[in-house]
Amino acid sequence: MDIKQRITRRTEEILPDLIALSDTIWQHPEYNFQEYHACQAMSSLLKDYGFQVQTGIGGLETSVKAEYDSGKPGPNIGIFGEFDAVPGMGHACGHNLMCAMAVGAGEALHSVIDDLGGKVTVLGCPAEEGGGGKITMLENGAFDGLDVGMLLHSASDTVVNDISYSRTDLLVHFYGKKAHAATWPEEGISALNPILDLFNIVNSMRLELADRGKILGIIRDGGEQPIYIPDHCSAEFTIRSFSMKYKFELLDRFLSICRHLAEITNTRFEYEYVGLSYEDIRNNPVIERLLEANFTALGETVKPREKELGIGCTDMGNVTHAIPALQSYVLVVPETRGHTPEFEAAVGGPAGHKTIAVGSQAMAMTAADIIQSPDVLAEIRKAFADMKAKYE
């Protein structure tokens, strides 16, 4: 029996465990940084499989890091999983499946790694849905020592490449002087005027920006009562681009506009960042190629990345800037968008259970391909270096 047959056999053996893990996470949705049940369930199963398991690593209480070292030379393969739910929507993004696939791939690789050499590390990452859990873990060294990283996301198609926005969110404040608008308006300085002017300027930029970037915003505080000139108003904006460099250029321009508006309107301007900046996905093309071959061998139809799959932001993007890695997608149900009740139902049922097996095998087989070929690992590292040189 060859390595990939052994990976398939081990995945089939543990599939009931993986389904139970996915189902208990699906039945107990937990949101950013509150994933206590998921953390316990994931870490407990990995301990049963013989991994050295730590929780609360990388500065986050509900994170998981499970390692198995063959004791032989070889790369350290990181298998990433997520388990937080979508606020107000349960597991409408299918992170329950992603956690189960990470454990399944890790254990399937564990079953053969003593023969291959190297090390496997399974990571449970909290708070992808807006909290930037991987960013905090990355900054605190949780992924140090990984040679390669892989994450499979539940989706409506099987796709190996990915695109995502680089995103920075911020809250802008303008301060003026309060006055009675009907009786003594000349004594006031409106903090609302620069907010309204800011939205007009941003709207006028849309044609120029086209698809290169987006500035989207809402007014958070427009004043207290119509009879008073407001002395404080605020608005929240998200600034996005497929290019991290252009996003930061756009951010600098936006802040410059705010400062000039404050000067023109005789107000005072301040701003604060909302959450952490998510950066654009930079998938490693060599890992993509290997994963596509393994998906195809498993009977999956690999499709190109299209906008219809949905384009958002992910903290896995930050990881792909730091190590050779990818985020790819695996089919649960076709033509069903994530973050919908229909997708939430699918990832908690038979279609989701089938996806666990396919995703676990595909990642474990890809990891085995990398471990078995020093030349492939060298290609991966070269592609990563080329990417860094191109963008940075």
Side-chain angles (χ1 to χ4, degrees), residues 140 331 360:
N140 285 298
L331 170 70
S360 298

Side-chain angles (χ1 to χ4, degrees), residues 11 24 32 146 156 223 235 261 302 329 332 374:
T11 304
T24 192
N32 284 353
L146 296 181
S156 57
L261 284 172
V302 179
Y329 297 89
V332 181

Side-chain angles (χ1 to χ4, degrees), residues 12 55 137 147 168 237 270 285 344 350 360 365:
E12 291 171 350
T55 58
M137 294 174 73
D147 292 290
T168 297
F237 287 85
E270 293 181 0
E344 181 193 12
S360 298
M365 290 175 178

